[in-house]
Amino acid sequence: MRETPRPQGTAGDSRAEHPQPCPGRALAHTTGASGSGTPHRSDGRPPHTPRGERYAGQGGRPGTSPPVPGLPAFLFATLLCVFAVITWQVASGGPLRRLDERLDRAVTGHGPAALTEALADLGSMPVALPVLALAIAYALWRGLRRQALIAAVTMALVPLLVVPLKDWIARPGPLEAATGYYPSGHTATAMVAYGGAALLLSPHVRRRWLMPAAAGALTAATGIGLVLHGYHWPLDVLASCCLCGALLVVSSTGMRRSSWRTRRR
């Protein structure tokens, strides 16, 4: 059986020759030229995938990365599923509705009436809408017309979704026989107005988490005030949070895509 002859070094060779690098490799395991620590192609070209691109933000802070599909869609679907379950239980008088009514009777009237009413008013249009309007005006001043439009359209969708649901479910209030309390319109207004303002302003502040945290705190305060003062059942508030949370997921994804495309130009 014959063996394929292997190349042998000559008698004059003092050491074995090191293998030469193969040109055209996809990625070299070295940091970039700027020392950023990100991998670069060995032939000097940018990576094929958009995840390899990241644009610098203002003041030298990291810029935006391309939106990653998957998580927003999962969160959107989860919120809508929870909303659908709550709506089914409230409309059919299921055990979740009975538990909701027992819980409400146990907490309604607790806390100073003036304070709980003031908290509930955080979700009124005269209070919440000017906050969003100021954020939209700032976005327009910065040239972010698409992001401002997305925030305005999201806010406009709130009454288009909430009012028909109120008429369809026709749930009476905790302290009144009048119907139209599910889902909570004040909670929806607060969540979309403050949440939309946070989405517009957070890219322009040093600590981005402050804006969403403030929006969440204002929305939670609105819901607590509504329940403690007897304006709404707890499930009215929770359902609005799920419905409008799904709206904000779509709004956030649209804003991020608009920002990323603008930076690519």
Side-chain angles (χ1 to χ4, degrees):
M1 182 175 181
R2 298 178 60 186
E3 295 183 357
T4 304
R6 298 180 181 177
Q8 303 292 332
T10 60
D13 289 341
S14 59
R15 57 184 176 82
E17 184 180 359
H18 291 287
Q20 299 297 319
C22 179
R25 289 287 185 181
L27 289 175
H29 299 283
T30 57
T31 59
S34 61
S36 61
T38 56
H40 285 251
R41 291 178 62 104
S42 57
D43 55 7
R45 291 180 293 169
H48 288 299
T49 60
R51 290 295 299 171
E53 301 181 17
R54 188 176 181 89
Y55 301 93
Q58 296 180 350
R61 295 193 299 272
T64 58
S65 295
V68 181
L71 180 60
F74 173 77
L75 184 57
F76 175 81
T78 302
L79 289 170
L80 283 188
C81 286
V82 175
F83 173 76
V85 170
I86 295 174
T87 303
W88 163 56
Q89 285 290 294
V90 171
S92 63
L96 201 58
R97 173 169 173 167
R98 294 193 293 271
L99 176 63
D100 179 51
E101 293 173 353
R102 288 199 299 268
L103 176 63
D104 185 84
R105 295 189 184 100
V107 300
T108 298
H110 287 69
L115 175 61
T116 56
E117 186 173 8
L119 292 178
D121 286 341
L122 291 173
S124 63
M125 289 190 177
V127 177
L129 287 186
V131 175
L132 179 61
L134 289 174
I136 290 175
Y138 178 77
L140 291 173
W141 178 70
R142 298 290 301 246
L144 305 175
R145 289 175 295 179
R146 290 184 179 179
Q147 291 86 334
L149 178 61
I150 290 173
V153 169
T154 305
M155 190 71 244
L157 288 175
V158 170
L160 297 179
L161 294 174
V162 171
V163 172
L165 283 169
K166 284 177 174 289
D167 294 337
W168 175 49
I169 301 298
R171 188 182 193 185
L175 302 178
E176 296 183 13
T179 59
Y181 283 81
Y182 179 91
S184 168
H186 276 61
T187 305
T189 301
M191 190 167 191
V192 174
Y194 300 134
L199 290 175
L200 291 173
L201 298 178
S202 59
H204 308 290
V205 298
R206 184 174 298 275
R207 293 174 179 164
R208 294 190 174 190
W209 58 271
L210 285 175
M211 292 291 110
L218 290 171
T219 304
T222 302
I224 291 172
L226 291 168
V227 172
L228 293 183
H229 203 76
Y231 287 141
H232 276 287
W233 308 96
L235 283 184
D236 300 348
V237 172
L238 182 59
S240 284
C241 289
C242 292
L243 177 63
C244 295
L247 282 178
L248 288 177
V249 169
V250 177
S251 180
S252 174
T253 303
M255 289 184 187
R256 287 192 62 199
R257 290 185 181 275
S258 297
S259 298
W260 182 63
R261 289 170 182 167
T262 300
R263 291 178 182 272
R264 290 192 66 186
R265 293 175 181 174

